[in-house]
Amino acid sequence: MKIKLALLTILNLFVLLGKGQELKIGDHLPTTIFKEVWNHSSDQVDLRDYRGKYVILDFWGTRCAPCLEGFIFVQEIQDAFQDDIQFLAVNKGLDVDSVDRFFKQRKHITTAKIPYITNDTLLNRYFPHQGMPFYVILDKEGKVVKTVDRLNKDKGTFEKLLRNDLSGFEREVKKNYIPTLFESKWDSLPIFSSYIFNNTISSGARIVIKNMHGKEFSETGTISFLYQRAYENYYPTVDVFLPGRLILEVSAQSKYFKPENLTNINDAKWVDKNIYTYVSRMPHSDIRDPKQLMREDLERYFGLKVSVEKRLVPHLVLRRNERQFQLKTRGGKSENSFMMTETRSATLSEWRKLVNQPFASLSDYFKTISEYKFKTPFLDLTGIKDYIDFKIKGNVLDNISIADMQSVLEPAGLALTEEMVEIDVLILKE
């Protein structure tokens, strides 16, 4: 009995000491209960509930576009393998209310019907990583069997997983920490430096620069994204990140924008070839704008000429039609339920309403839909300043098309048309 008690004490001490330490392939994830959970039928997630299933931890962030876009595929896999696989979304920086608010304000983002662990610190300590997406695969007993930075969009990969075959997850995450891209004996000498390099190499390793001297400025992305960051807020008439505001006059668009419908292998090859990191290092005493240096460096390296010109760009334009305007408010208590969405239950409001709200609330919502869902600039030429009452079926609003928008606005005295409009755009030219 004394031997068993001592052994139990040692094991408990080992678990306590090891809690939060990095886990590696072959380690078991300790039994854990998470009490900050969004989009779940319960107010907590107990990992023991998923024993007997493969668990995939999906680490995501609000500024990670591939993470947000990936929820659609995650839902497809969850639906197809619900008895054998369980996805859990993991976010480090936001609490439940912040995650709820984030998705309510972005109806164009499709969320997966899986539990979202929020405000996490423990899993991020168990599985430290640089960048996202990042996935951890646990077997049916909770053992870590794989870490990957992307999922193959092929159901066959997950059918293999159920046979304990991990060959479909070919891009295992490796970490390669280096203090500098210079030889170490020279690293302390430069007071000022800037450079560009391919960020993701074919092995799947992620390079992380550490121990910078002075101020550091860095950005990672496609060539077009680096130019957008360099010229963000530079030209007062152009918001370079809005749809339709960037035009490339180049011989090969595929160098700047990832082609659609790439296979998983070709997708990885494209990323390896076309994603860059830009880094500049300055002493703290240097007061120059690092983006000015970035603009100069991009021109030196990539050689694109930058200008702002007026061009005709496809828009969705909102105008009054020949009908009398029908939305003027009848007064009463203000209500805005347009952004209501699924949170912890599967219940959705049948109707979404604007009651005694400024017309701009409706216009701004359709602007968001137009620019982020349809990737088309939106222009309101109604001139309406009135307060309004408006309602629409929730299932229509959540899956709305341009034709739907036109059909609900037309009886109210509004016309939504597709037109060419001349605006200032950023031109990148070879």
Side-chain angles (χ1 to χ4, degrees):
M1 178 63 72
K2 289 182 179 180
I3 294 175
K4 289 182 179 180
L5 182 60
L7 180 59
L8 181 61
T9 302
I10 291 171
L11 289 174
N12 284 335
L13 180 61
F14 173 80
V15 170
L16 289 172
L17 290 174
K19 189 174 184 180
Q21 293 181 354
E22 181 175 358
L23 298 180
K24 296 179 173 58
I25 302 299
D27 292 339
H28 281 78
L29 181 63
T31 299
T32 311
I33 297 175
F34 298 91
K35 296 189 175 182
E36 294 191 57
V37 186
W38 182 80
N39 204 43
H40 191 38
S41 57
S42 172
D43 59 0
Q44 65 182 30
V45 165
D46 187 339
L47 294 181
R48 290 172 296 187
D49 293 340
Y50 305 114
R51 289 291 188 260
K53 291 185 177 183
Y54 286 91
V55 172
I56 301 179
L57 303 176
D58 178 354
F59 290 80
W60 69 282
T62 57
R63 299 186 67 180
C64 171
C67 301
L68 301 175
E69 294 168 356
F71 288 144
I72 296 174
F73 178 69
V74 166
Q75 186 61 54
E76 291 178 6
I77 297 303
Q78 187 65 72
D79 289 340
F81 300 96
Q82 58 183 333
D83 294 331
D84 301 294
I85 296 174
Q86 179 63 54
F87 277 86
L88 298 175
V90 182
N91 182 277
K92 181 179 181 180
L94 300 178
D95 60 18
V96 172
D97 290 339
S98 297
V99 171
D100 186 50
R101 185 164 54 251
F102 174 80
F103 287 118
K104 279 184 177 180
Q105 293 173 350
R106 294 162 178 83
K107 295 294 296 178
H108 56 284
I109 297 175
T110 301
T111 56
K113 294 181 176 65
I114 60 173
Y116 286 65
I117 297 170
T118 68
N119 214 22
D120 169 70
T121 55
L122 183 59
L123 290 173
N124 276 270
R125 290 201 302 271
Y126 283 145
F127 305 106
H129 53 278
Q130 297 292 332
M132 291 178 284
F134 176 68
Y135 305 91
V136 176
I137 302 173
L138 310 174
D139 71 7
K140 296 180 179 181
E141 303 302 321
K143 183 174 71 176
V144 182
V145 294
K146 198 79 170 179
T147 58
V148 294
D149 62 2
R150 63 169 53 88
L151 296 177
N152 284 345
K153 294 187 176 180
D154 175 10
K155 289 184 179 179
T157 295
F158 297 88
E159 292 170 351
K160 288 181 180 180
L161 176 63
L162 301 185
R163 301 193 297 269
N164 298 317
D165 181 351
L166 298 169
S167 61
F169 300 94
E170 80 278 2
R171 285 184 59 88
E172 185 167 0
V173 172
K174 301 176 183 178
K175 287 178 286 188
N176 184 16
Y177 294 102
I178 59 174
T180 178
L181 292 180
F182 300 111
E183 290 187 45
S184 58
K185 64 182 179 180
W186 305 116
D187 187 51
S188 62
L189 298 180
I191 298 173
F192 174 93
S193 65
S194 63
Y195 41 87
I196 298 172
F197 61 92
N198 279 106
N199 186 57
T200 309
I201 59 179
S202 57
S203 66
R206 297 172 186 252
I207 299 175
V208 182
I209 307 300
K210 292 207 167 189
N211 301 323
M212 290 299 181
H213 304 295
K215 295 185 295 184
E216 178 225 347
F217 177 82
S218 65
E219 292 290 351
T220 297
T222 61
I223 299 172
S224 56
F225 174 80
L226 293 180
Y227 272 93
Q228 286 174 299
R229 289 293 287 145
Y231 285 90
E232 185 179 22
N233 301 322
Y234 183 69
Y235 294 110
T237 60
V238 183
D239 186 337
V240 297
F241 279 105
L242 289 181
R245 273 67 166 193
L246 177 67
I247 294 179
L248 273 68
E249 296 183 346
V250 297
S251 57
Q253 291 270 335
S254 61
K255 285 175 55 178
Y256 304 91
F257 298 110
K258 184 163 65 173
E260 296 182 0
N261 302 320
L262 290 176
T263 64
N264 291 295
I265 293 177
N266 288 332
D267 182 280
K269 289 180 179 178
W270 188 94
V271 168
D272 290 344
K273 186 177 180 180
N274 296 291
I275 297 296
Y276 296 86
T277 288
Y278 171 83
V279 179
S280 66
R281 296 161 60 174
M282 302 179 181
H284 288 295
S285 58
D286 197 321
I287 62 173
R288 286 176 294 177
D289 179 7
K291 284 193 175 182
Q292 178 58 41
L293 175 65
M294 183 181 184
R295 290 189 285 270
E296 296 169 0
D297 285 337
L298 291 179
E299 182 176 355
R300 277 189 286 267
Y301 188 79
F302 296 112
L304 298 177
K305 300 301 180 184
V306 181
S307 62
V308 170
E309 301 177 17
K310 289 192 178 297
R311 295 289 180 91
L312 288 172
V313 175
H315 276 62
L316 284 177
V317 179
L318 186 65
R319 304 175 184 273
R320 291 193 183 207
N321 62 20
E322 68 280 0
R323 292 172 177 260
Q324 183 178 355
F325 185 58
Q326 300 291 324
L327 299 182
K328 285 187 179 180
T329 184
R330 297 180 180 179
K333 185 179 179 180
S334 296
E335 178 183 348
N336 185 345
S337 60
F338 243 48
M339 306 305 291
M340 290 180 65
T341 185
E342 182 176 12
T343 53
R344 297 188 181 203
S345 72
T347 303
L348 288 170
S349 174
E350 181 181 3
W351 289 95
R352 310 291 174 79
K353 300 177 182 179
L354 294 172
V355 179
N356 201 7
Q357 293 289 317
F359 178 78
S361 297
L362 180 64
S363 177
D364 289 347
Y365 185 84
F366 284 134
K367 176 182 173 70
T368 299
I369 292 293
S370 176
E371 298 202 333
Y372 290 94
K373 181 175 182 178
F374 305 129
K375 308 299 183 185
T376 303
F378 178 91
L379 183 60
D380 181 355
L381 295 179
T382 63
I384 297 173
K385 306 296 182 184
D386 297 319
Y387 275 59
I388 65 168
D389 297 334
F390 181 82
K391 70 176 183 178
I392 185 173
K393 285 273 191 177
N395 60 351
V396 174
L397 186 61
D398 291 341
N399 302 284
I400 201 161
S401 65
I402 293 176
D404 291 332
M405 292 167 65
Q406 292 169 329
S407 65
V408 298
L409 292 172
E410 194 273 336
L414 299 168
L416 185 68
T417 57
E418 298 179 67
E419 303 178 22
M420 299 297 289
V421 179
E422 188 176 70
I423 60 172
D424 286 343
V425 299
L426 188 72
I427 305 290
L428 302 182
K429 185 182 301 185
E430 287 180 346

